[in-house]
Amino acid sequence: MEGLLERDASHQIAALNARRVSSVELLKAALAHHEQTHARLNAVVAVDLDRALDRARAIDDLRNRGEAVGLLAGLPMTVKDTLDVVGMPASSGLAALRRRQAQDASAVANAKAAGAVIWGKTNTPVMAGDWQTFNALYGTTNNPWDVARTPGGSSGGAAAALAARVTALEIGSDIGGSLRIPASFCGVFSHKPTWGLVDQHGHVPPSPGSWSVRDLNVIGPLARTARDLRLLLAVIEDGPLAPKAPAGELKGARIALWLDEPSFGLDPQVRAVLESFAAELVDAGAEVTPIASPAHMPTLMAAYQTLLGGIIGEDMPDAMVRNMTRLRGWARWSMNRGAAPTSMAAMTLAYTATHREWLAADAVRNRLRHEIAGVFEGFDAILAPTAPVTAFPHDHRPFARRRLLQSDGAVLPYASMLNWISLATALHLPATAIPAGLSESGLPVGAQLIGPLSSDARLLALAQAIEENVSGFIPPPLTPQDTGSSASRA
């Protein structure tokens, strides 16, 4: 049974359909592995065992009677704790939200309708607002490759659970790299869909029960294989995407390699992995062409900051927003005198953006999206870094005191985590995060394939071709704790 947990979701579903294993057996195996790894990782932080067992038994009965079952029928899986699940409402790391009564988020309801057995919730930073995963309610989640390091955020618990083979599928979200960065840090796959492809209702933030459709934010899948990304996305988007399709053709695929942007930092070890990865793609028959930045990134970052800041500002306490509003004059003065785009002055203006300022940023976004369409006339996808560094050590100091340390000793602002993910997010483009290899220090490095609007199916087919011909998921080494039996259930 342990060997089955090592396989991807598609393989586990095939075993269920062939009745080589029951849903109850597979669920109990996943729970046992969670118990073995929980003390070390703290990835799955809430469990609804009774409800999950009842559902697994019901699906086993349907299958044994020969009745039709859904695409995910009987598959145990977990969900990021920013999505409401009946019996496990989204806490988003806040105790005050944990005891609510909630209906299933739209994406969760679709997964359940397809037969998924959702048994646990994975950890997230408070209100999904960090590239690390920790909170006062559930504590810190560790990276399976090195427990002294973060698994990323905000879907950090999701990526850690996947890499540790505690779950085979996960539903996460992304507004500032929250699907792609944890995938990169833990060595798994994720897909940031075209904005609007998956219904956001039931995601917290915004406030529980809100029908706000947030700009930039998306709900998307994480998995250990590209074919599993397609399967889950087809389920949760409840639309025209086929759940299964052959891999794309890697030979002749036109890929733009984007590794250089004067205003962005990139760790030499990350660059080396991505250059080697690009060379492997060439050896496999792809046409890889280095390009300069596909858009003027300082302009894009300024617009993205305003668009994102307005969303984050909505979740801030009213008193804090009022205080920041009073500082707008100082902030404009500071920016005119050369304050950095990541400075407190820039953040103040973004968090308190007026509707007129938002409209101006939206106009910039639309212009750049029109311009980048020309890039995609010559390429199937853009291959770019996901993060400027590999997974970094836990750092729970205030944001203003955090820094990113490159392997060559160079120091980057913490907000540099927004840089490489900004193109796809700000322009609403789809992006598939794929494992590219291990750094010299032995940590996963991820790449992202960025495509034009609504090219999700083509990106996933290309990702599957890359996985089958070049590289895919590499499991982190197991520790004695992972093979023991003495960890407690969350």
Side-chain angles (χ1 to χ4, degrees):
M1 184 65 70
E2 188 69 24
L4 188 55
L5 294 181
E6 302 271 337
R7 306 300 295 270
D8 71 355
S10 296
H11 188 95
Q12 292 182 26
I13 292 167
L16 287 165
N17 287 333
R19 300 186 191 179
R20 293 195 300 271
V21 65
S22 72
S23 179
V24 169
E25 290 169 336
L26 193 57
L27 172 61
K28 288 183 177 180
L31 287 163
H33 192 52
H34 160 59
E35 290 184 348
Q36 293 164 6
T37 58
H38 177 62
R40 190 171 73 95
L41 299 181
N42 191 38
V44 181
V45 291
V47 170
D48 188 349
L49 177 57
D50 292 340
R51 202 181 307 259
L53 282 170
D54 287 345
R55 182 164 174 78
R57 293 188 188 101
I59 292 172
D60 283 338
D61 288 343
L62 287 174
R63 188 173 267 120
N64 290 334
R65 294 199 300 267
E67 297 189 23
V69 293
L71 289 169
L72 304 180
L75 180 75
M77 62 176 286
T78 54
V79 171
K80 181 181 179 180
D81 196 27
T82 55
L83 289 157
D84 278 334
V85 176
V86 170
M88 293 184 290
S91 78
S92 284
L94 295 172
L97 300 179
R98 186 183 180 193
R99 301 298 181 187
R100 299 178 291 114
Q101 296 295 316
Q103 298 300 309
D104 288 329
S106 296
V108 171
N110 287 342
K112 284 186 175 181
V117 177
I118 296 175
W119 60 269
K121 301 294 287 295
T122 50
N123 206 18
T124 185
V126 173
M127 296 299 278
D130 200 349
W131 299 290
Q132 301 179 68
T133 295
F134 67 94
N135 57 66
L137 177 60
Y138 289 124
T140 300
T141 298
N142 300 321
N143 192 311
W145 288 86
D146 181 352
V147 295
R149 297 175 184 270
T150 181
S154 60
S155 306
L162 277 165
R165 285 86 82 201
V166 171
T167 189
L169 284 181
E170 252 283 348
I171 306 175
S173 57
D174 189 314
I175 196 172
S178 291
L179 283 164
R180 290 162 286 165
I181 288 170
S184 178
F185 282 6
C186 294
V188 298
F189 289 80
S190 71
H191 183 73
K192 186 204 89 65
T194 296
W195 183 81
L197 185 64
V198 180
D199 191 339
Q200 298 182 34
H201 184 60
H203 186 272
V204 180
S207 301
S210 172
W211 283 94
S212 172
V213 180
R214 289 201 154 176
D215 186 19
L216 307 175
N217 191 49
V218 298
I219 310 299
L222 300 98
R224 289 193 295 272
T225 62
R227 68 174 180 172
D228 282 358
L229 288 181
R230 172 186 283 274
L231 173 63
L232 184 54
L233 182 60
V235 167
I236 63 176
E237 61 104 16
D238 197 24
L241 183 72
K244 296 181 181 179
E249 182 59 59
L250 190 54
K251 186 175 182 179
R254 302 168 303 164
I255 299 174
L257 179 64
W258 175 36
L259 297 180
D260 292 294
E261 162 51 44
S263 60
F264 291 177
L266 187 63
D267 189 293
Q269 288 195 15
V270 174
R271 176 184 287 273
V273 171
L274 295 178
E275 289 176 339
S276 177
F277 181 61
E280 291 180 274
L281 293 178
V282 171
D283 290 342
E287 299 173 7
V288 179
T289 305
I291 63 168
S293 293
H296 187 257
M297 295 311 294
T299 299
L300 183 141
M301 287 301 296
Y304 177 38
Q305 195 165 49
T306 298
L307 297 169
L308 179 61
I311 295 169
I312 296 173
E314 183 185 356
D315 298 324
M316 290 180 170
D318 290 342
M320 182 181 296
V321 174
R322 285 195 298 270
N323 288 337
M324 295 183 80
T325 300
R326 285 193 285 266
L327 294 173
R328 283 177 61 84
W330 161 82
R332 288 194 197 94
W333 177 84
S334 297
M335 294 302 293
N336 290 335
R337 293 178 64 86
T342 56
S343 66
M344 181 56 68
M347 295 294 104
T348 296
L349 292 175
Y351 294 152
T352 61
T354 65
H355 184 54
R356 188 172 184 175
E357 289 166 344
W358 185 93
L359 288 173
D362 185 47
V364 170
R365 181 240 305 272
N366 288 323
R367 172 174 62 81
L368 293 175
R369 189 163 57 200
H370 174 75
E371 292 175 0
I372 202 173
V375 176
F376 289 118
E377 290 177 1
F379 296 101
D380 300 311
I382 296 170
L383 178 68
T386 302
V389 293
T390 55
F392 50 85
H394 299 295
D395 184 355
H396 298 174
R397 294 176 297 173
F399 270 46
R401 296 178 58 193
R402 300 181 195 174
R403 299 289 185 271
L404 302 174
L405 181 64
Q406 293 189 170
S407 59
D408 60 356
V411 177
L412 301 175
Y414 190 62
S416 298
M417 294 299 295
L418 279 176
N419 287 347
W420 293 101
I421 61 87
S422 63
L423 183 74
T425 299
L427 303 187
H428 290 169
L429 306 177
T432 304
I434 54 179
L438 301 181
S439 69
E440 184 181 336
S441 56
L443 295 171
V445 173
Q448 56 177 331
L449 287 170
I450 304 168
L453 283 172
S454 303
S455 65
D456 301 76
R458 295 200 304 274
L459 276 185
L460 291 170
L462 180 57
Q464 186 173 339
I466 291 172
E467 178 188 6
E468 293 179 0
N469 293 280
V470 179
S471 72
F473 170 70
I474 300 172
L478 293 175
T479 69
Q481 294 97 317
D482 294 334
T483 57
S485 59
S486 61
S488 62
R489 179 175 296 132

